[in-house]
Amino acid sequence: ASEAIQSYQKAIEQKPDYAEAYNNLGIAFKYQDRLDEAITCYQAALKSRPDYAIACNNMANAIRDQGKLAEAERLYLEALKLKPDFAEVFNNLGNVLMEQGGLDKAILQFQKALQIKPDYAEAHNNLGNAFQEQKDFTAAIGCYQRALKLNPQYHKAFNNLGNAYQKVGRLNQAIFCYQKAIEVRPDY
C-alpha cells in the first residue's frame, strides 16, 4: 500500500486537481486504517470534482469507520443525489441504518440495492442480517442462500446461514455451514 500511496502522491503533484488520484490515495490510506488522511483525500477529490459519487461514498465509509454514523448517513444520501442508481451506496446506507437500530429502513435500502443490482451477494447477505435481527429466520435463510448461490466462496454468508439454522434448531445444517465458512476462509 505504501508503494501505491507514493504513486498517487506523485500523480497529484503533477496534476493537483486529479480527483481520481485523491480518491485512490484515500482508499490506500483507509486500507492502512489512516482514516483522517483518507477523509482529507476524499474531500480533495470532491473539491476537484463535486459530482464524484464514488469519493462521497468512500468518505462516508471512512467516517462510518470512525463511528460517526449520522454523518456517514448524510454523506450516503448525498452520494445518492449524485448517482441515484448506486447500489453499493444503498447497501452501505442500509448498514449504517441498521447500526443505528433502523431495521425497517435498512431493509428498504438493501432491497433498493438489489433492485438495481440483483446479483449483489453482499446486499443479499446484509438483507439476511436485517431479517435475522427481526427474528424472521426463514427470510434470512433465503437471503443467505441467494448470497451463496451468487458467491459460493462467501464465508460470512456461510457463517450467517449457520447462525440462522442454529436459531431454528437445524443444528446439522448449522454445523455444515460453519465448516464451509472455515473451509473457504481457514483464518475465519
Side-chain angles (χ1 to χ4, degrees):
S2 56
E3 224 175 85
I5 288 171
Q6 290 172 351
S7 296
Y8 294 128
Q9 287 172 329
K10 187 176 263 188
I12 291 165
E13 281 175 29
Q14 293 172 357
K15 189 177 176 193
D17 62 343
Y18 191 4
E20 289 79 4
Y22 277 113
N23 181 63
N24 292 339
L25 181 58
I27 292 168
F29 281 138
K30 185 176 182 297
Y31 182 77
Q32 292 185 341
D33 209 30
R34 295 163 63 181
L35 298 177
D36 289 333
E37 290 164 283
I39 290 165
T40 299
C41 290
Y42 300 135
Q43 288 169 333
L46 287 163
K47 185 176 180 190
S48 293
R49 201 172 122 203
D51 65 341
Y52 197 3
I54 293 169
C56 191
N57 176 61
N58 290 341
M59 183 163 66
N61 289 338
I63 287 171
R64 176 181 165 214
D65 287 353
Q66 291 181 325
K68 300 174 185 171
L69 302 181
E71 188 176 348
E73 179 183 350
R74 182 188 62 75
L75 286 166
Y76 289 133
L77 292 170
E78 188 63 36
L80 288 170
K81 285 180 193 168
L82 298 171
K83 190 173 191 276
D85 64 343
F86 201 159
E88 289 79 2
V89 176
F90 281 112
N91 182 63
N92 293 337
L93 178 58
N95 283 328
V96 85
L97 290 169
M98 202 159 85
E99 287 178 58
Q100 296 177 87
L103 287 176
D104 291 334
K105 289 179 181 179
I107 287 169
L108 288 174
Q109 301 311 311
F110 297 134
Q111 290 170 333
K112 287 178 185 177
L114 290 167
Q115 286 171 355
I116 295 164
K117 192 174 172 182
D119 62 346
Y120 192 4
E122 187 179 340
H124 283 288
N125 181 67
N126 292 335
L127 180 58
N129 290 341
F131 283 136
Q132 192 160 187
E133 285 287 318
Q134 289 187 327
K135 311 262 186 270
D136 186 347
F137 300 112
T138 302
I141 288 168
C143 291
Y144 299 136
Q145 289 171 334
R146 282 187 290 285
L148 288 165
K149 187 174 182 183
L150 293 165
N151 180 359
Q153 301 297 307
Y154 197 175
H155 64 283
K156 290 179 182 177
F158 273 120
N159 185 67
N160 293 334
L161 180 57
N163 291 340
Y165 279 142
Q166 185 180 1
K167 298 275 194 213
V168 296
R170 293 163 69 178
L171 299 184
N172 287 337
Q173 288 166 299
I175 290 167
F176 174 81
C177 289
Y178 296 141
Q179 289 171 334
K180 288 296 285 183
I182 292 169
E183 179 184 312
V184 170
R185 179 99 181 256
D187 62 336
Y188 189 60

